[in-house]
Amino acid sequence: GPVRTKGRAKSQQTKLNIFNAAAELLSEMDFEQITIRDIVRRANVSVGTFYNYYATKMEVFYETYQVADHYFNETVSRLLTQPTAAQRVDCFFYHYARYSSELTDMKMTRLLYNPDNPWFNRDPTGGMVGVLIDVLQDGLDRGEFSGHGADAAELADYLMICVRGLIYNWCTKKGNYDLYGATRKLVGRLMMALRP
């Protein structure tokens, strides 16, 4: 009934409040210095409430991916209205670079780029990668480009691996170059390989 929906909306809000509190703290201090006590104090919830939603401190930061998937599904997908699939791929990665460099703090991006991050290998269909797969599928269907034996999901995977590598490189250089420009150039070069 309606009560449950209301409860679910409230619990989503609580979860998001905890995440936002943690993200705020990360912009003020290092991950190692932040305690769960700091997070619950900032979020104005109990330690018990924290553990209802997250098992560890690191898990809170991985919530970024839920937030990002939602943003790409709700906002970015609506902006992919360019006439060609190649232009839409370019636009997708423009927003991916923007998300990684502006909407997420550099410290957050550095924290998340670790080999234990389970979110890099999540099921692509529901999230942001699903948005990219749809664009690539459309390009393949229209004969705009060829996967040369790879399907849309595989191509999306390759592109994400390459762009994540670039973002990792950008992190190691402490963000000292234009991530948009570099992303567009890399994706443009990779897309050349998909010419029919």
Side-chain angles (χ1 to χ4, degrees):
V3 178
R4 188 183 297 148
T5 321
K6 205 169 175 182
R8 190 176 303 137
K10 188 180 181 294
S11 91
Q12 272 305 103
Q13 196 49 57
T14 303
K15 197 174 184 192
L16 204 56
N17 288 347
I18 296 169
F19 167 72
N20 287 332
E24 244 175 57
L25 286 164
L26 186 65
S27 66
E28 296 162 21
M29 56 177 102
D30 291 334
F31 175 77
E32 292 72 30
Q33 298 173 297
I34 301 168
T35 65
I36 287 173
R37 202 168 288 268
D38 292 331
I39 296 170
V40 300
R41 201 175 288 141
R42 180 70 60 98
N44 209 6
V45 298
S46 70
V47 173
T49 299
F50 177 93
Y51 285 113
N52 280 340
Y53 297 100
Y54 300 107
T56 64
K57 180 175 74 163
M58 190 66 204
E59 213 175 87
V60 184
F61 291 97
Y62 287 143
E63 183 70 20
T64 302
Y65 291 92
Q66 302 273 26
V67 174
D69 281 343
H70 182 77
Y71 175 74
F72 274 78
N73 278 319
E74 297 301 310
T75 306
V76 176
S77 64
R78 295 198 183 122
L79 303 172
L80 303 178
T81 55
Q82 297 74 17
T84 70
Q87 287 168 319
R88 276 175 273 143
V89 169
D90 179 65
C91 182
F92 173 91
F93 281 109
Y94 165 81
H95 287 284
Y96 190 69
R98 179 166 177 258
Y99 198 89
S100 303
S101 60
E102 276 179 45
L103 302 182
T104 311
D105 181 77
M106 155 70 86
K107 277 170 80 181
M108 177 78 90
T109 300
R110 290 173 65 98
L111 178 68
L112 298 172
Y113 271 67
N114 74 75
D116 298 322
N117 182 340
W119 285 88
F120 285 147
N121 299 308
R122 69 192 180 281
D123 172 19
T125 45
M128 62 166 76
V129 182
V131 175
L132 178 60
I133 291 171
D134 290 345
V135 173
L136 291 166
Q137 188 60 59
D138 185 55
L140 291 170
D141 291 346
R142 291 206 239 174
E144 196 186 307
F145 38 75
S146 162
H148 303 291
D151 64 10
E154 208 177 338
L155 295 176
D157 201 34
Y158 291 145
L159 289 169
M160 292 303 295
I161 289 168
C162 293
V163 173
R164 283 194 195 118
L166 177 65
I167 293 171
Y168 180 79
N169 178 270
W170 180 78
C171 285
T172 65
K173 304 230 165 108
K174 310 261 193 299
N176 74 353
Y177 59 84
D178 168 32
L179 188 58
Y180 299 128
T183 301
R184 293 186 87 154
K185 200 167 164 185
L186 175 67
V187 172
R189 295 249 161 92
L190 293 169
M191 294 304 288
M192 282 178 192
L194 298 183
R195 284 188 181 146

